[in-house]
Amino acid sequence: MKLYTYWRSSCSWRVRIALNLKGLDYELHPVHLVKDGGEQHSQWYREINPQAQLPTLELADGTHLTQSMAIMQYLDKVHPDVALLPTEPLLYAKALQLAEVINAGIQPLQNLSVLQSLNRQDPSKELSMSWARGVIQKGLENLESLVKGSTTQFLLTETPTIAECCLIPQLYNARRFGCDLSKVPKLLEVEQACEKLDAFQQAHPSVQPDAQ
Ligand SMILES: N[C@@H](CCC(=O)N[C@@H](CS)C(=O)NCC(=O)O)C(=O)O
């Protein structure tokens, strides 16, 4: 498999964690999201992913899968060992619920194209920084209120799920934009548990071949 990725793309990072947790081999194909206006807009990449976004997973038969949530759920079906989604129906729904708070409720509001559009209105970047900080802060506090009181090592269970795959990259972005993480103590506890795992360490932006 080949993963089209960018070191700091949070959605690519989710999939790197998922692939690593499952112990799957994959090749990385970096796509630079910023240089020369963004390689995601180039013709060759749009043929792979018409949305011009990362990540894209290329399967052995050449199929291109996009959307990190769909990719992770595909991997869970095809490689069910080390499940990212619990089988018990309520836990299954809750793992998706927590992941979607980030996937649908935070990340799209602070995506690069949104911030670039705000930067055209305010080239000082103050507007985009405060917008991103606000939406991430609110979203993570919402997530914290859904899991506070949980006594498991991770958000829901004793092993990481699709929710941690989404959480860890979002916490990194929260720091980039100056959020106050003292308001989300359970999320930080879970982050510490994740950081001990090789799968998460190997997925970190700082160790990616295209890291700058
Ligand atoms: N819902 C999509 C979101 C993908 C997405 O927004 N990717 C970002 C990087 S994390 C991107 O490629 N942004 C490029 C741009 O905005 O031009 C997913 O989960 O894969």
Side-chain angles (χ1 to χ4, degrees), residues 4 28 30-31 41 44 49 63 77 85 89 100 106 109 113 122 125 136 142 149 156 160 170 176 184-185 191 206 211:
Y4 292 87
L28 294 171
V31 175
H41 301 296
W44 74 265
N49 182 342
T63 301
K77 291 273 185 213
L85 280 158
E100 288 294 0
I106 305 178
L109 299 173
S113 54
D122 173 18
K125 298 195 177 168
I136 299 172
N142 291 340
L156 280 176
Q170 195 59 62
R176 273 183 75 194
V184 295
E191 181 184 37
S206 63

Side-chain angles (χ1 to χ4, degrees), residues 13-161:
W13 185 352
R14 295 172 188 172
V15 176
R16 296 197 299 263
I17 297 170
L19 288 161
N20 294 349
L21 281 169
K22 290 178 174 292
L24 298 170
D25 279 337
Y26 59 101
E27 184 190 327
L28 294 171
H29 186 126
V31 175
H32 203 298
L33 286 186
V34 186
K35 198 172 68 184
D36 300 330
E39 207 182 351
Q40 72 276 27
H41 301 296
S42 63
Q43 199 187 334
W44 74 265
Y45 187 70
R46 277 180 172 276
E47 276 166 22
I48 291 173
N49 182 342
Q51 271 191 298
Q53 290 183 334
L54 290 171
T56 300
L57 184 68
E58 185 175 296
L59 306 181
D61 69 356
T63 301
H64 290 123
L65 265 186
T66 68
Q67 293 294 334
S68 61
M69 294 293 288
I71 296 170
M72 291 189 284
Q73 288 175 75
Y74 166 80
L75 292 173
D76 230 26
K77 291 273 185 213
V78 179
H79 304 281
D81 292 347
V82 192
L84 300 173
L85 280 158
T87 46
E88 196 280 315
L90 190 57
L91 282 178
Y92 174 95
K94 284 193 167 180
L96 275 179
Q97 175 195 9
L98 300 181
E100 288 294 0
V101 169
I102 295 168
N103 178 59
I106 305 178
Q107 189 275 337
L109 299 173
Q110 54 97 96
N111 186 26
L112 179 65
S113 54
V114 173
L115 303 187
Q116 285 173 335
S117 162
L118 294 176
N119 287 342
R120 283 192 281 278
Q121 289 175 47
D122 173 18
S124 78
K125 298 195 177 168
E126 270 176 40
L127 177 62
S128 67
M129 287 294 287
S130 76
W131 167 259
R133 186 162 52 247
V135 295
I136 299 172
Q137 184 76 41
K138 182 165 173 278
L140 289 180
E141 286 182 28
N142 291 340
L143 186 64
E144 173 79 17
S145 61
L146 288 169
V147 295
K148 74 167 184 260
S150 150
T151 54
T152 51
Q153 198 188 351
F154 295 95
L155 293 168
L156 280 176
T157 56
E158 294 301 338
T159 53
T161 68

